[in-house]
Amino acid sequence: MRRRDLLKALCALGCAAIPGRTLPVRAASPGETPAGGDYCSSIAGSRPLFVPSGDGWFGRLAPDGAALTMRASAIPGAAGPWTQGYAVEHRGARFVNPTLVVKRGERVRIGFENALQEPTIVHWHGLGVDTHNDGAAVPPVSPNGRYSYSFDVHDRGSLYWYHPHPHGMTAGQAYRGMFGPIEVEDDDERALRAALDLVPGKSEIPLILQDRRGPEYAATDIDRLHGWFGSDIHVNGTVCPFLDVATRVYRFRVLNASNARTYRLGLRSADGKALSFTLIGTDAGLLATPRRCDDAFLASAERIDILVDLSDAAVGDTVLLETRPFDPMHMEMAAPAAAMAAPTAAMDHAAMGHMASPAAEGGAPAIDHAAMGHGGSFPEGALRTLLQLRVRERIAYRARIPQRLSTIVPIDVGHATERPLRLGFAKGRWRINDRVFAMGETPIEVKRDTVEIWLIRNYFNSMPHAMHLHGFHFQVLERQTSPDQIAALKVDGLGRLATDLGWKDTVMVWPGESVKIAIDFTMPFAGEQTYMFHCHNLEHEDGGMMLGVKVA
Ligand code: C2O
Ligand code: CU
Ligand code: CU
């Protein structure tokens, strides 16, 4: 009865408070009903969620214009699962991978030191900075070398992140722990926090998802083809943690820091009923208006900003954040397996398109996937509980979710030119427009201050690719020929998902799908700049599914 009330309350919130579609909360179907074994397997042994504080791992650090020194180094005896990170000392406090908290308009100055045994460099994912500061189109920093960053933050308030970008070595370094969040604050952010009385570290909490299988990164050819998948899913470094909560609204800022895994995030009550949440933001900031969602896909490097309203929950209730079942659509099976067996055989796209693959015809990709040798990894697209919210305290909380969060001006595409980009596989490598990355080459050349529409098409015999552009945010205009599981979530006649309605820097393109995005290449930097466009499945990126983009 209590849980029914909670469900009703959440639905009422969504249906009443949020304009737009009013879908009933989807009842859990048998396929989604949690197997008893999945309630994090052993709740008894569950540990608290790690929440970053004023120092330590992911500790919140507001430099306020002060210069920082960041040292890429081994972190001995790390408490979490990671063995490397960015060590920072500031005002007597020691941080690893600090959450950099900066105001829009603030100058960031960072002296970077490489204390690793291999080259590395930092990229500020989602920030619009020049080539030197972007870190991708410059030679990486050698061991014991230094690099200096200095840039103004022009971007909208949101959760961004930083991670290494040395070509061919990004995946291993990120997996071993080299990444951290960046919180950009602006007026919209401040208004939201004030309206909902959100306090970072208390009622506003980052959730950093990463799947892991041990401390070492040792990708095989199979991993390089599909991506590196782990056997456990960590949330802020802990497997299936719990968070004790009160009866109020919580904000979760979710970052998918996994090398390759996609999540389909949703909430349910402990007895298996699906609950909705409120989507308020995407990669590059708040939506114009909040949207009630039943679930949302989150690909590598993407972020979503969500509100969970527990104000009508009962003490003793538990709400679970989970990743729901979906078809991971690794439908590359026949083609790449053949290509890998005979690396010299030319595998052109036409041939790929006509090649029959059992997985492609609706078999059980997740099972094939395991059989392909991801030894022991947890199948992508299978149900798993990620976090337990345990309602422990009743408090008086009256705040309402504001109906306006921000203003999103559509990019004017009146004079835009359209650029076709094809994602495919040939001769053992994932490619963009049949090419693989070469340092110094910029197959994509754009005229500064112009608007382009990129039409990104993924082949049917392919897998999903999380396409990321450096330097510029974009708007998703349209999705065409989406697979059924994506089309089912569309919220408008353009085939877009709720998560397509805000500013983005990374967009998933599913097999067989075409995604149109609009990009305004206006930039404040003098001279020619070079950025990257790549798949954020880090194994694909390291394997060359990346092209240089010259803006001049
Ligand atoms: Cu997350 Cu090339 O970046
Ligand atoms: Cu795979
Ligand atoms: Cu990819």
Side-chain angles (χ1 to χ4, degrees):
M1 197 60 196
R2 277 176 166 179
R3 296 201 168 100
R4 188 172 296 269
D5 288 342
L6 167 65
L7 173 68
K8 249 169 46 196
L10 285 167
C11 181
L13 165 86
C15 305
I18 298 170
R21 286 199 325 163
T22 47
L23 279 182
V25 170
R26 203 158 37 89
S29 68
E32 299 173 73
T33 305
D38 176 60
Y39 187 0
C40 296
S41 308
S42 59
I43 296 218
S46 177
R47 291 195 287 147
L49 177 74
F50 171 76
V51 179
S53 56
D55 61 3
W57 280 84
F58 305 117
R60 297 172 61 79
L61 193 172
D64 249 321
L68 301 177
T69 301
M70 261 175 88
R71 217 174 137 78
S73 49
I75 308 291
W82 301 292
T83 56
Q84 292 178 352
Y86 298 99
V88 176
E89 281 190 44
H90 184 62
R91 305 212 160 128
R94 310 179 102 189
F95 298 85
V96 181
N97 300 340
T99 298
L100 298 175
V101 180
V102 300
K103 289 184 268 310
R104 190 176 192 179
E106 187 175 320
R107 162 83 40 107
V108 172
R109 291 180 296 147
I110 291 178
F112 174 66
E113 300 176 0
N114 181 7
L116 301 179
Q117 312 295 318
E118 59 183 26
T120 189
I121 188 140
V122 187
H123 166 61
W124 317 95
H125 179 122
L127 299 190
V129 295
D130 62 350
T131 299
H132 172 89
N133 286 293
D134 185 76
V138 295
V141 181
S142 314
N144 300 313
R146 290 160 187 270
Y147 196 79
S148 99
Y149 293 93
S150 174
F151 54 86
D152 293 326
V153 175
H154 302 287
D155 306 282
R156 299 177 84 230
S158 195
L159 181 73
Y160 302 93
W161 62 308
Y162 55 91
H163 61 73
H165 222 289
H167 184 56
M169 289 176 289
T170 297
Q173 292 181 7
Y175 180 73
R176 289 189 289 263
M178 308 255 295
F179 57 84
I182 305 171
E183 258 183 47
V184 176
E185 295 179 351
D186 64 3
D187 290 342
D188 292 337
E189 271 296 315
R190 284 184 274 271
L192 176 72
R193 281 182 180 158
L196 291 177
D197 182 33
L198 295 169
V199 179
K202 295 270 188 288
S203 45
E204 175 185 310
I205 293 172
L207 300 178
I208 302 172
L209 310 181
Q210 190 196 43
D211 58 327
R212 302 192 55 81
R213 48 170 152 144
E216 276 316 308
Y217 180 79
T220 63
D221 285 350
I222 296 292
D223 295 323
R224 278 185 277 271
L225 171 62
H226 301 283
W228 169 265
F229 290 91
S231 46
D232 289 312
I233 301 171
H234 291 240
V235 183
N236 298 353
T238 306
V239 177
C240 195
F242 65 83
L243 179 70
D244 286 343
V245 292
T247 51
R248 54 159 297 145
V249 170
Y250 285 81
R251 178 186 193 185
F252 295 104
R253 311 183 78 172
V254 193
L255 160 65
N256 184 353
S258 309
N259 282 36
R261 183 180 297 269
T262 296
Y263 302 87
R264 181 179 190 164
L265 299 175
L267 296 175
R268 68 176 160 87
S269 59
D271 58 359
K273 297 209 177 59
L275 307 173
S276 61
F277 57 85
T278 303
L279 178 75
I280 56 166
T282 55
D283 300 341
L286 295 171
L287 301 179
T289 53
R291 278 214 157 237
R292 199 178 56 101
C293 273
D294 293 338
D295 54 5
F297 282 96
L298 195 70
S300 296
E302 284 186 309
R303 287 87 68 205
I304 52 170
D305 203 340
I306 64 174
L307 298 176
V308 178
D309 188 345
L310 299 170
S311 51
D312 291 316
V315 170
D317 280 343
T318 299
V319 172
L320 306 168
L321 175 71
E322 65 187 2
T323 180
R324 297 209 172 133
F326 65 93
D327 180 350
M329 301 191 80
H330 288 225
M331 309 199 300
E332 73 290 269
M333 297 307 169
M340 286 170 79
T344 51
M347 294 293 307
D348 65 23
H349 290 123
M352 277 182 64
H354 292 289
M355 192 161 287
S357 142
E361 278 160 18
I367 290 163
D368 288 344
H369 199 201
M372 286 280 296
H374 287 266
S377 73
F378 179 68
E380 195 184 20
L383 172 75
R384 185 159 281 192
T385 304
L386 302 177
L387 170 69
Q388 312 159 42
L389 303 174
R390 311 193 307 195
V391 182
R392 284 298 155 102
E393 191 194 353
R394 166 147 295 283
I395 58 168
Y397 181 87
R398 292 267 158 268
R400 298 237 149 248
I401 298 172
Q403 292 310 292
R404 275 226 81 76
L405 300 169
S406 184
T407 306
I408 294 187
V409 180
I411 295 177
D412 179 1
V413 293
H415 300 281
T417 48
E418 191 169 290
R419 183 184 296 273
L421 294 150
R422 300 181 314 277
L423 314 179
F425 187 91
K427 297 180 201 150
R429 318 270 297 266
W430 290 108
R431 291 160 190 265
I432 304 170
N433 284 355
D434 305 320
R435 303 179 65 128
V436 291
F437 180 71
M439 194 60 147
E441 289 180 10
T442 51
I444 301 176
E445 301 201 347
V446 172
K447 208 157 156 262
R448 66 183 301 143
D449 303 340
T450 62
V451 172
E452 292 203 356
I453 292 174
W454 288 13
L455 176 60
I456 313 169
R457 287 185 299 148
N458 194 355
Y459 282 84
F460 181 76
N461 272 69
S462 183
M463 55 177 282
H465 297 290
M467 302 309 297
H468 168 52
L469 175 66
H470 289 208
F472 301 87
H473 300 147
F474 54 79
Q475 292 176 349
V476 177
L477 298 178
E478 191 171 358
R479 284 183 188 267
Q480 292 168 342
T481 57
S482 303
D484 290 350
Q485 64 183 358
I486 301 305
L489 300 179
K490 69 172 193 245
V491 296
D492 64 20
L494 301 166
R496 294 184 295 184
L497 313 179
T499 45
D500 292 330
L501 301 179
W503 284 96
K504 298 284 293 167
D505 57 48
T506 305
V507 68
M508 183 73 125
V509 186
W510 291 82
E513 195 178 35
S514 296
V515 176
K516 250 190 209 181
I517 62 174
I519 314 158
D520 182 347
F521 284 98
T522 302
M523 62 174 186
F525 313 111
E528 174 180 307
Q529 306 295 332
T530 300
Y531 297 102
M532 296 294 151
F533 176 61
H534 63 87
C535 178
H536 220 288
N537 175 316
L538 295 182
E539 283 65 42
H540 294 180
E541 176 184 347
D542 273 352
M545 194 180 190
M546 172 158 79
L547 296 181
V549 179
K550 189 197 318 189
V551 183

